[in-house]
Amino acid sequence: MEAYLHDWLSLLLRWAHFITGVAWIGASFYFNWLENHLERQQAPGGIAGDLWAVHGGGFYHLEKFEVAPETLPATLHWFKFEAYFTWITGFALLCTVYYWNAGAFLIDRSVADISGLQAIVIGLASMALSWVCYDLLCRSPLKRNGEILAALIFAWFVLLAWLLSECLSGRAAFIHVGAAIGTIMVANVFFVIIPAQKDLVAAVGENRKPDGAKGKNALLRSRHNNYFTLPVLFIMISNHYAGTYAHPWNWLVLVLISVAGVGIRHWFNIRHQPGHNRWILPMAVLLLLGLIVLMRPHELLLEPDQAGAPSSAALMPVIRERCTSCHAQNPEHPAFTTAPLGLVLESEQNLQETAARVYQSVVVTRTMPLGNLTGMTDEERNLLARWYAGLEKPR
Ligand code: HEC
């Protein structure tokens, strides 16, 4: 029953997290787009520019003010709850998926032999510490030099990715880097950007000049948020791709894919500026292509030795012992009510039908058995590799 309710909880939280995240990042992309496409022209009434758009069967005409309107409108829309709810649902999802069953997804004894509680403390500390370090950097005199500041923030995340990959499962290391970035993004909205906007609105009401320092700070933080979006979105989907988080150099994979993401974002930010660097996008794409080539799985140096290759029947006892407690129609493992991803490994036929996926997860990425909870040995993995090498594969 617990596993059943756990499933529903994680489904509903993931759904809510996804919806609020789309609303938040979507609005932020939209306003970014508006800024880039505004037809700048000085117009009466302090208008900086305007634009026309057609969407959903209607025409829209938007105007942006140079500073602010003379009087505030009766209703002024804010965009902040999307961000807060993205964090709240995301944190709840992190607790549900990774902390509830720390033994399954959070720790990997082949990475570090730590307890679930220790891993949870490491995870939570990584988020809190990231915000504290980032915020201190942004408040230091370094804020006047945007490039050095960006380089230091980047260095922090490289260090964090490496540190986490040394103590948590690859999958949990990735998600915690994402959670740390997400925490910074939301804290930026809560502690810096929204207070600056409140000051701006109050200034219009009180007929005074807005606090320039607050405004500058908010601009810096929202710039950072803008560059964080593509890396954070990659990390959020990375748990579907064991090839990334389970790679021996997983922290570097995360860093390089993030660099490509930041590059792509940068290209979109500057492509309307005259004389911009056109090469950023092709270079980011090249980086991704390079990764695809470098990370290709190396075929094991095993000859399909027909005599020595075990048959599927000979492999079944290993599978039953190491896999079937989870991968069954009715799993014995208390955390599951149905076979994970619908993958059942109860018969020779099941095994043969999923041979390539089984080989990939047990031998190449070693992500299965999950957290090696069933204690699969290297000899058994070798046996499975020899079985796979001996199979007749479709050409
Ligand atoms: C403790 C439970 C557990 C055990 C034991 C276990 N698995 Fe899994 N397996 C899972 C879960 C959970 C997932 C889904 C992971 C996800 O959501 O990405 C999974 C996913 C998989 C996948 C799909 C991966 C993909 O992306 O296509 C394969 C293949 C797999 N397991 C094979 C095995 C094999 C082979 C064994 C035994 C050597 C095994 N598993 C043992 C829980 C387990």
Side-chain angles (χ1 to χ4, degrees):
M1 196 62 182
E2 182 189 320
Y4 176 73
L5 293 177
H6 179 267
D7 246 13
W8 270 104
L9 184 65
S10 97
L11 165 63
L12 295 178
L13 282 172
R14 198 177 294 258
W15 195 15
H17 183 55
F18 189 48
I19 295 167
T20 48
V22 165
W24 176 23
I25 305 297
S28 125
F29 275 17
Y30 175 65
F31 278 99
N32 219 46
W33 181 91
L34 280 184
E35 270 297 319
N36 287 334
H37 290 80
L38 217 54
E39 289 180 30
R40 309 261 165 196
Q41 65 213 0
Q42 305 273 310
I47 302 291
D50 69 345
L51 69 78
W52 286 87
V54 60
H55 188 81
F59 287 95
Y60 291 78
H61 182 211
L62 287 120
E63 291 177 321
K64 187 188 175 192
F65 284 81
E66 196 83 67
V67 186
E70 266 167 30
T71 50
L72 283 175
T75 13
L76 182 62
H77 297 283
W78 294 72
F79 294 81
K80 57 180 177 182
F81 288 109
E82 298 88 337
Y84 303 160
F85 279 106
T86 304
W87 192 87
I88 292 168
T89 50
F91 186 71
L93 189 59
L94 186 71
C95 295
T96 311
V97 175
Y98 289 88
Y99 299 168
W100 189 316
N101 264 316
F105 286 120
L106 189 61
I107 46 185
D108 179 344
R109 303 241 182 260
S110 70
V111 173
D113 195 1
I114 54 176
S115 73
L117 188 65
Q118 283 169 325
I120 293 173
V121 170
I122 292 173
L124 294 175
S126 71
M127 283 182 266
L129 209 64
S130 292
W131 165 248
V132 171
C133 288
Y134 166 84
D135 192 50
L136 284 176
L137 280 176
C138 290
R139 286 172 193 274
S140 74
L142 282 169
K143 68 178 172 216
R144 280 188 287 276
N145 190 327
E147 274 112 43
I148 292 189
L149 181 63
L152 286 173
I153 296 169
F154 176 71
W156 165 259
F157 280 112
V158 175
L159 180 70
L160 185 71
W162 176 73
L163 281 175
L164 289 176
S165 77
E166 292 288 305
C167 42
L168 302 180
S169 77
R171 180 176 160 149
F174 272 39
I175 213 72
H176 278 91
V177 175
I181 301 179
T183 300
I184 290 180
M185 292 171 73
V186 176
N188 272 342
V189 173
F190 187 79
F191 291 116
V192 182
I193 299 171
I194 291 296
Q197 278 176 18
K198 282 195 175 143
D199 177 72
L200 186 68
V201 171
V204 175
E206 294 158 15
N207 230 337
R208 65 168 163 88
K209 271 189 101 157
D211 183 340
K214 275 190 177 158
K216 246 187 172 166
N217 222 343
L219 189 68
L220 179 75
R221 306 292 182 111
S222 65
R223 273 244 172 88
H224 290 160
N225 277 8
N226 176 280
Y227 284 101
F228 284 143
T229 45
L230 295 207
V232 97
L233 289 177
F234 153 68
I235 294 171
M236 293 302 143
I237 57 170
S238 68
N239 61 52
H240 297 290
Y241 300 93
T244 59
Y245 65 73
H247 194 274
W249 290 87
N250 55 4
W251 63 274
L252 193 60
V253 172
L254 184 151
V255 168
L256 293 178
I257 296 184
S258 300
V259 168
V262 169
I264 293 168
R265 185 68 262 194
H266 187 54
W267 186 83
F268 275 99
N269 284 343
I270 61 167
R271 74 196 174 106
H272 298 284
Q273 295 169 7
H276 71 265
N277 187 345
R278 283 170 209 288
W279 289 101
I280 291 171
L281 187 64
M283 270 162 32
V285 173
L286 216 63
L287 177 58
L288 291 176
L289 290 177
L291 274 174
I292 296 173
V293 174
L294 282 174
M295 289 169 64
R296 73 192 180 282
H298 294 283
E299 284 294 320
L300 282 197
L301 298 171
L302 285 171
E303 283 302 312
D305 164 7
Q306 291 299 343
S311 65
S312 299
L315 192 63
M316 270 324 281
V318 174
I319 298 291
R320 284 214 186 84
E321 189 177 348
R322 307 300 185 195
C323 318
T324 313
S325 56
C326 297
H327 291 284
Q329 281 316 344
N330 293 304
E332 276 165 33
H333 194 290
F336 302 98
T337 44
T338 53
L341 300 182
L343 189 88
V344 175
L345 292 171
E346 288 181 303
S347 65
E348 267 177 62
Q349 198 194 346
N350 294 153
L351 180 62
Q352 277 159 357
E353 280 168 1
T354 55
R357 286 171 79 193
V358 166
Y359 169 75
Q360 181 76 16
S361 68
V362 173
V363 179
V364 181
T365 63
R366 297 171 72 101
T367 45
M368 286 295 139
L370 191 66
N372 204 7
L373 287 177
T374 47
M376 191 170 198
T377 63
D378 280 352
E379 288 79 64
E380 288 167 339
R381 288 186 206 268
N382 278 339
L383 189 75
L384 196 145
R386 286 192 4 247
W387 159 78
Y388 186 70
L391 282 186
E392 286 210 14
K393 285 175 217 92
R395 293 186 187 269

